Amino acid sequence: MLFVLVNLTAPPAMAVRSCVNTGVPFLINGQDVGYDVEIILSNYSLDYDYIPQFGEEGEAHWTVLDDGTIRVFFHPENCYDTGCQYYLYVGLHDPIGIQDNRSCSGYDGQGSVKGKQVNFTGAFRFVAGEERNRKSFFITPAYTYEDAAHKVKRVCAFNNYGGVNKALDQAYMDHSERDWWHNIYWGTWYDPVKMFPDGVQVPGAWVYFNEDLNKSSARAEALAREKWPNEAPPHFKTDKVVLMQAGIGPEYKVGEGLLVFDVKNLNLDVR
């Protein structure tokens, strides 16, 4: 099964992006289907003169450990009109819209996941970084909802945020535009014992996650209906539902200190 995926975790008008391909295969149902794990780096800024750069002298760099674990070093030094706000997601993404996509793989089809159960699984751990930076982690899938003619689209991202220990039914909506964009926040996995066992410079425990994306999708639609009750139902056009991105990483005010983290065993379970 093929997906087209695009990083839509920030309003495009306030972000510039850079992308690298790690060369590590991304699994779907445990099988290598030819995709690679990609890392997308962006800053929130109205100034498009500067694009975040990968490399030891840039905002972030990465390496692959012997067991296939991806270790990411995040060290941005540039603040912008909106503050030191970046996002750095590791996962399966589409490079469409990225200024330099030569190092990113492409995708050749859109696969609808309507009527399918979709889970995003994997593990991460913090290696170094202050608590405020560690709390900035999100698990973020994003979908588009389309009509049959592909003329009407709605986008919704679901952010399982580690800094707010809330159940999905307590989720709230942010970064929402009536006509196309909805961003849903909640949190279920944040555990200070795992993340800060012996201080901020000591690696934390592996955090294993298995996100039921169907539940978050349903909650997102419910919130949209609550916010715009006069919208003709259904608010989301569901002739075609495309999973556009599945990633994990830091976002929002994480540019004020070093953050090092590991990611492994990323998988989409689609059935």
Side-chain angles (χ1 to χ4, degrees):
M1 176 177 293
L2 296 179
F3 300 109
V4 169
L5 298 100
V6 63
N7 191 335
L8 288 172
T9 54
M14 296 187 62
V16 290
R17 302 175 180 132
S18 185
C19 179
V20 299
N21 190 321
T22 65
V24 176
F26 192 103
L27 304 181
I28 295 180
N29 291 341
Q31 302 296 315
D32 181 357
V33 293
Y35 299 150
D36 287 333
V37 174
E38 294 173 354
I39 304 174
I40 289 190
L41 168 69
S42 178
N43 67 319
Y44 284 75
S45 176
L46 299 177
D47 180 3
Y48 285 84
D49 292 335
Y50 183 79
I51 299 174
Q53 300 295 316
F54 286 98
E56 294 187 16
E57 302 301 321
E59 279 76 17
H61 70 284
W62 56 275
T63 187
V64 179
L65 306 181
D66 290 340
D67 61 355
T69 296
I70 299 173
R71 177 161 293 177
V72 181
F73 301 82
F74 190 34
H75 37 74
E77 297 181 354
N78 295 290
C79 295
Y80 302 88
D81 46 8
T82 54
C84 298
Q85 297 191 21
Y86 289 80
Y87 61 81
L88 178 66
Y89 280 95
V90 181
L92 185 56
H93 303 274
D94 174 52
I96 295 174
I98 299 167
Q99 286 83 347
D100 181 5
N101 63 10
R102 290 171 295 177
S103 61
C104 296
S105 58
Y107 308 99
D108 58 6
Q110 287 185 315
S112 178
V113 294
K114 180 180 179 181
K116 298 181 182 297
Q117 175 67 38
V118 183
N119 286 64
F120 179 43
T121 66
F124 71 93
R125 68 175 178 180
F126 296 104
V127 178
E130 297 180 359
E131 181 173 354
R132 65 170 298 174
N133 289 342
R134 296 189 188 200
K135 283 184 177 181
S136 66
F137 249 62
F138 287 80
I139 298 173
T140 303
Y143 287 89
T144 59
Y145 299 81
E146 304 178 13
D147 64 355
H150 310 292
K151 293 182 179 180
V152 178
K153 292 187 178 182
R154 301 289 186 268
V155 177
C156 191
F158 319 116
N159 301 116
N160 192 349
Y161 176 40
V164 181
N165 190 19
K166 291 185 176 181
L168 179 58
D169 61 5
Q170 297 175 302
Y172 62 95
M173 180 181 291
D174 199 1
H175 292 302
S176 298
E177 300 291 339
R178 179 184 179 90
D179 293 333
W180 72 283
W181 180 262
H182 313 285
N183 214 340
I184 311 302
Y185 292 90
W186 81 99
T188 57
W189 54 260
Y190 177 60
D191 186 347
V193 175
K194 291 183 178 180
M195 298 195 183
F196 318 110
D198 296 298
V200 297
Q201 297 302 320
V202 178
W206 282 104
V207 178
Y208 293 87
F209 60 90
N210 185 343
E211 289 298 317
D212 184 338
L213 305 189
N214 293 63
K215 288 184 178 180
S216 57
S217 174
R219 179 57 177 154
E221 182 172 352
L223 286 173
R225 291 180 184 276
E226 291 174 10
K227 187 165 186 176
W228 299 294
N230 296 326
E231 184 83 8
H235 180 75
F236 291 115
K237 305 297 182 180
T238 55
D239 295 313
K240 186 176 185 181
V241 182
V242 178
L243 179 62
M244 301 184 71
Q245 173 254 326
I248 182 169
E251 184 172 355
Y252 294 123
K253 296 188 182 299
V254 293
E256 300 177 2
L258 176 70
L259 181 62
V260 183
F261 61 94
D262 292 341
V263 177
K264 68 176 181 179
N265 298 337
L266 296 181
N267 196 359
L268 287 177
D269 182 9
V270 183
R271 57 188 185 275

